[in-house]
Amino acid sequence: MSIEIVADAPAVATRAADIICASVRANPRAVLGLPTGGTPIAAYTEIARRVAAGDADLSRATVFAVDEFASATAATPGTNADFFRRFVTFPLGALHCPDPAAADPDAHIRAFAAQLRAAGGCDLCVLGIGENGHVAFNEPGSARDSRARAVALTETSRQAHAANFGAIDRVPARGMTLGIADLAESRSLLVLAHGAHKAAIVRAAIDGPATPEVPASLLRDHPHLTWLLDRAAAADLAVSG
Ligand code: GLP
């Protein structure tokens, strides 16, 4: 596991864009897993800027979203499908998002994970971390060997998305996610976090015990895992002192 600590949120965005663009430069047909959430937005904006300037080209890369809400429609503001439309604006070879309207979310996300495996798996999977330690929608209690599945979302996660959906009652109670074992099959993993509100959970995920109670901690044995943090998110780590 490597831990890269940069000054602030804009520096996380720049460095994340560097890592994502380098992966696609090395393999223009790279398969990327990408997260939603507030954390990666500035990195996507930076990639869009580089693409517009002719400094990056993701037009042959394939992107798989790592999770989605269930019981919504792709047009519902707040879904990950909506997020990708709004923030991942640069041309891609293909973008695969689970369908939030899937009648059988469990079967749908299992088929989605099979589609990812058929595409060769992720060369690079980028993740955020929820304040409760979730990665994608692997909420606390997710096992190391968990696979793609429909999940009940915690109150913490629903609350974090209330603004995007307009109100907490509009946030779906269920989601679909690649499992911890699916994420760990990626050839490399990049976890992003910035801000003081992430410091405690980043510390738990990196310095605490590897436990399903902090799903991000279960990724730590991955041979190519990088944590990219700003100083505020890294403030409680043993290494940052
Ligand atoms: C969301 C998503 C995750 C995301 C995480 C962190 O609920 N399901 O994929 O990484 O929570 O979100 P944020 O970046 O807004 O803190």
Side-chain angles (χ1 to χ4, degrees):
M1 164 163 78
S2 71
I3 303 171
E4 227 183 287
I5 301 170
V6 296
D8 50 19
V12 170
T14 305
R15 186 70 190 119
D18 288 347
I19 294 169
I20 295 167
C21 292
S23 168
V24 177
R25 214 174 307 116
N27 174 11
R29 297 189 180 280
V31 176
L32 307 172
L34 293 183
T36 58
T39 305
I41 291 176
Y44 299 151
T45 306
E46 172 60 13
I47 294 171
R49 189 193 65 74
R50 293 181 193 191
V51 168
D55 296 331
D57 177 8
L58 284 76
S59 66
R60 285 183 288 161
T62 296
V63 166
F64 283 82
V66 296
D67 56 16
E68 181 51 290
F69 292 90
S71 312
T73 73
T76 309
T79 57
N80 293 352
D82 175 57
F83 176 97
F84 277 97
R85 264 195 307 277
R86 291 171 59 202
F87 299 114
V88 180
T89 53
F90 39 87
L92 294 168
L95 170 62
H96 301 287
C97 288
D99 179 2
D104 182 343
D106 205 54
H108 179 73
I109 193 71
R110 279 191 272 114
F112 182 82
Q115 190 184 11
L116 168 59
R117 277 193 295 278
C122 285
D123 293 296
L124 169 66
C125 184
V126 184
L127 296 168
I129 177 170
E131 283 180 59
N132 62 4
H134 75 225
V135 279
F137 269 144
N138 292 282
E139 296 280 28
S142 297
R144 191 189 289 269
D145 61 358
S146 58
R147 288 290 176 181
R149 65 204 186 285
V151 291
L153 301 179
T154 60
E155 201 54 26
T156 320
S157 298
R158 294 183 66 237
Q159 200 65 58
H161 287 273
N164 297 337
F165 279 85
I168 178 82
D169 343 337
R170 293 202 204 137
V171 183
R174 293 177 70 71
M176 297 175 271
T177 188
L178 295 177
I180 297 287
D182 300 305
L183 299 174
E185 278 170 6
S186 305
R187 285 178 279 290
S188 58
L189 288 170
L190 174 66
V191 188
L192 311 176
H194 51 72
H197 62 300
K198 295 286 174 76
I201 197 64
V202 163
R203 181 170 90 103
I206 294 177
D207 290 335
T211 165
E213 289 321 303
V214 181
S217 70
L218 300 174
L219 298 172
R220 75 166 59 138
D221 294 333
H222 192 283
H224 300 285
L225 164 64
T226 301
W227 283 85
L228 174 56
L229 310 168
D230 74 348
R231 274 196 213 112
D236 293 352
L237 290 180
V239 290
S240 73

